Amino acid sequence: MPSLASSYYELCKPRVVMLIVFTAVVGMFLAVPGWPSINALIAGTIGIGLAASSAAAINHLLDQRIDALMARTRGRPLPTGQLSTTQVLTFAFILGLISMSVLVIWVNVLTAVLTFTSLIGYAVIYTVWLKRATPQNIVIGGAAGAAPPVLGWAAVTGAIDHNALILFLIIYVWTPPHFWALAIHRRKDYAAADIPMLPVTHGVRFTRWHILFYTILLVLVTILPFLTGMSGLLYLAGVTVLNIGFLWYVLHLLRDNDDSLPMRTFGYSITYLMMLFVFLLADHYLQMVL
């Protein structure tokens, strides 16, 4: 049996939270021509990270019934009885309270409000309603997951810029092809739990076409930072290579019936997003030098 500490750690969905925090931190650096203030960087990172962990714990709590039915999630702390409902609820509340306190006191109220809105959007609106209501759940609910760069931007500047909204749009459009690739691989689990994911309600072929459509849209959206002058040629070259790679996976997913392709596409999509933000950051400071 895992230790109590590791069970609480698992509640936070650390891999997901690390990606959230990473995109938020990049948003902080992109928001200013030089370096963000140390106070905003540290306090903002802690506050956003704790809020994301709180939302993850609430997600565990609300999804414990369906988690017990799915092979991918039945080993989580609640279905296995490693933690009780009261323990998880208390843990999520404490994390949420600390995160809001940090953001209000040491960052700014706008970031706290936006972070709280994202927390509620993912942990409650998506998990309780959208996830079970429509096969377009990940499209509608993707707004909450796309917020971190905006949160980071607001933490540093106290405002929301059009460039921050471009970063939001990139993650928002990236989310459906990213998640639907996983949903294809786990469609039997979702069917067993009666969750209307697109591959369950409309079939794998239909989902593959939707992944292609959203990936093409993603290619177009990711050119916006260059077209608006937010980024330069380094970013454009990097994201072009990334987009070619994504399209390669998606086209093979559309044509081939290789059972390993959905998870390989899912894995590439994570690398894709991380490297895209790395290119944004590198280009940002290259332009400063030049």
Side-chain angles (χ1 to χ4, degrees):
M1 291 289 288
S3 67
L4 188 63
S6 65
S7 295
Y8 278 114
Y9 181 69
E10 186 180 348
L11 284 181
C12 299
K13 297 187 177 180
R15 292 183 181 179
V16 176
V17 169
M18 278 189 268
L19 186 58
I20 289 172
V21 170
F22 173 69
T23 56
V25 169
V26 173
M28 295 179 193
F29 281 95
L30 295 179
V32 290
W35 298 93
S37 73
I38 295 299
N39 178 74
L41 180 62
I42 295 175
T45 300
I46 292 172
I48 293 167
L50 289 176
S53 299
S54 175
I58 295 172
N59 178 263
H60 274 268
L61 182 67
L62 297 174
D63 270 353
Q64 60 181 306
R65 182 193 66 81
I66 65 172
D67 281 350
L69 300 173
M70 298 172 63
R72 180 173 64 95
T73 55
R74 63 171 60 113
R76 286 177 172 176
L78 276 169
T80 58
Q82 297 160 24
L83 294 173
S84 68
T85 298
T86 301
Q87 286 174 306
V88 175
L89 182 60
T90 303
F91 181 67
F93 177 78
I94 291 173
L95 289 183
L97 182 62
I98 294 174
S99 71
M100 291 302 108
S101 300
V102 168
L103 292 175
V104 169
I105 297 172
W106 285 292
V107 184
N108 55 63
V109 174
L110 175 62
T111 305
V113 170
L114 292 174
T115 303
F116 182 75
T117 302
S118 299
L119 188 158
I120 296 300
Y122 170 73
V124 179
I125 296 176
Y126 168 73
T127 303
V128 174
W129 177 51
L130 286 173
K131 191 173 183 178
R132 295 160 172 80
T134 169
Q136 293 297 314
N137 44 27
I138 200 63
V139 177
I140 305 170
V150 180
L151 306 182
W153 198 288
V156 171
T157 65
I160 301 175
D161 187 86
H162 70 279
N163 286 326
L165 296 179
I166 290 176
L167 301 179
F168 170 92
L169 185 61
I170 288 173
I171 300 180
Y172 180 76
V173 177
W174 164 86
T175 300
H178 159 73
F179 197 85
W180 280 334
L182 174 65
I184 289 174
H185 181 72
R186 295 291 184 180
R187 61 190 180 278
K188 293 181 181 178
D189 273 352
Y190 286 118
D194 198 28
I195 300 298
M197 290 298 176
L198 197 63
V200 176
T201 59
H202 291 72
V204 172
R205 186 73 177 172
F206 185 85
T207 306
R208 287 171 175 169
W209 276 106
H210 269 62
I211 290 174
L212 175 61
F213 295 151
Y214 271 90
T215 304
I216 292 171
L217 182 59
L218 178 64
V219 170
L220 298 176
V221 168
T222 53
I223 299 174
L224 288 177
F226 176 76
L227 295 179
T228 60
M230 177 184 178
S231 297
L233 291 174
L234 174 62
Y235 166 77
L236 182 63
V239 80
T240 299
V241 173
L242 290 173
N243 283 330
I244 290 172
F246 210 156
L247 284 170
W248 184 90
Y249 273 100
V250 169
L251 289 172
H252 276 270
L253 185 65
L254 187 64
R255 296 197 309 262
D256 301 339
N257 290 318
D258 185 348
D259 290 339
S260 69
L261 265 174
M263 284 305 292
R264 285 161 55 197
T265 304
F266 174 76
Y268 178 81
S269 70
I270 296 173
T271 302
Y272 172 95
L273 188 67
M274 292 181 63
M275 289 307 301
L276 184 147
F277 273 79
V278 167
F279 282 125
L280 281 169
L281 189 60
D283 189 279
H284 179 69
Y285 285 102
L286 178 63
Q287 290 190 65
M288 285 178 52
V289 173
L290 298 177

